[in-house]
Amino acid sequence: MSAYKLNVPTKRGSVLNGVLFRNDEECARTVLIAITGIHGNFYSNPFYYNFGETLNGGGIDFVYAQTNDAFNRIETFNVVTRKTEIIGSYNEYFS
């Protein structure tokens, strides 16, 4: 099993983080995707490693990722504007 860090830019340029747990020895036919909710604690949740390892043991890849409103406020780099920005549930932008 390997864990790969994900940094995925949105259309508006905000970069969202995640992790992919996959078994490098065989191709999974199933992927479980879990995303945090509003104020979800992506970085300090110790359980997602257990989920990833357990699912990989059953032949399932696992993606655990944040959303724009996963935190109250978090600093990120916008790849479109090339500037630092604050995203989070305090000021969600739904369009």
Side-chain angles (χ1 to χ4, degrees):
M1 185 219 40
S2 296
Y4 298 94
K5 184 176 180 179
L6 304 174
N7 295 305
V8 181
T10 64
K11 289 180 183 179
R12 70 176 192 218
S14 300
V15 177
L16 303 179
N17 306 119
V19 64
L20 164 64
F21 291 89
R22 66 175 288 198
N23 185 334
D24 292 326
E25 296 176 16
E26 61 183 84
C27 183
R29 297 187 66 192
T30 303
V31 177
L32 176 67
I33 300 171
I35 57 172
T36 61
I38 294 176
H39 290 262
N41 196 338
F42 172 80
Y43 292 111
S44 65
N45 182 347
F47 297 109
Y48 76 87
Y49 281 99
N50 294 333
F51 294 146
E53 291 172 359
T54 301
L55 289 165
N56 275 174
I60 299 170
D61 287 350
F62 178 59
V63 175
Y64 183 62
Q66 77 181 68
T67 61
N68 280 321
D69 60 3
F71 305 91
N72 179 35
R73 295 171 62 98
I74 188 168
E75 186 175 293
T76 187
F77 181 75
N78 187 303
V79 296
V80 172
T81 65
R82 311 293 298 162
K83 296 180 181 178
T84 299
E85 67 179 359
I86 305 294
I87 62 171
S89 61
Y90 84 100
N91 187 25
E92 183 57 276
Y93 180 75
F94 291 103
S95 62

